[in-house]
């Protein structure tokens, strides 16, 4: 082999080493980046619990509105009964 071939091989080896280091840095950054996310199973579990809680809150809201309407109707009935009693 000639001197030029040895030089080309040496430059290719340095480029390969630099490329390997770059890939290692990218892999470490991807590992750190992916560590911030929830696994799919855990995310499904948490979102499922959130949906259950939202359904319960919506149901409680409907029940509270129904209770408010019932109390209001009772109050109006009581007021009219009191007015009829005082009128007679």
């Amino acid at each position: 082999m000639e001197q030029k071939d040895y030089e080309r091989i040496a430059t290719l080896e340095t480029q390969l080493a630099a490329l390997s280091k770059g890939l290692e840095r990218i892999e470490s950054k991807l590992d750190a980046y992916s560590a911030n996310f929830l696994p799919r199973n855990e995310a499904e579990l948490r979102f499922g619990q959130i949906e259950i809680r939202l359904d319960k809150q919506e149901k409680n809201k409907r029940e509270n509105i129904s209770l408010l309407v019932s109390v209001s109707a009772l109050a109006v009935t009581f007021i009219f009964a009191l007015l009829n009693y005082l009128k007679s």
Side-chain angles (χ1 to χ4, degrees):
M1 289 176 119
E2 293 183 20
Q3 183 66 23
K4 289 182 182 179
D5 292 335
Y6 289 121
E7 290 175 1
R8 285 181 55 205
I9 291 173
T11 55
L12 289 174
E13 286 177 347
T14 56
Q15 288 176 354
L16 183 61
L19 187 61
S20 296
K21 287 181 183 178
L23 285 175
E24 288 175 7
R25 285 197 321 263
I26 290 171
E27 286 177 351
S28 66
K29 286 182 181 181
L30 283 174
D31 289 341
Y33 182 71
S34 65
N36 293 330
F37 294 103
L38 293 175
R40 184 180 189 107
N41 294 337
E42 189 175 339
E44 288 176 357
L45 179 65
R46 286 190 183 183
F47 288 131
Q49 290 175 352
I50 289 172
E51 288 177 2
I52 291 170
R53 288 180 185 170
L54 287 176
D55 289 341
K56 284 182 182 178
Q57 284 181 344
E58 187 175 326
K59 184 180 176 185
N60 286 341
K61 184 177 180 181
R62 286 187 204 142
E63 290 174 355
N64 289 341
I65 290 172
S66 299
L67 180 64
L68 179 65
V69 169
S70 299
V71 168
S72 299
L74 184 64
V76 169
T77 304
F78 179 72
I79 289 172
F80 281 130
L82 185 63
L83 288 174
N84 282 337
Y85 178 74
L86 293 177
K87 191 175 185 183
S88 45

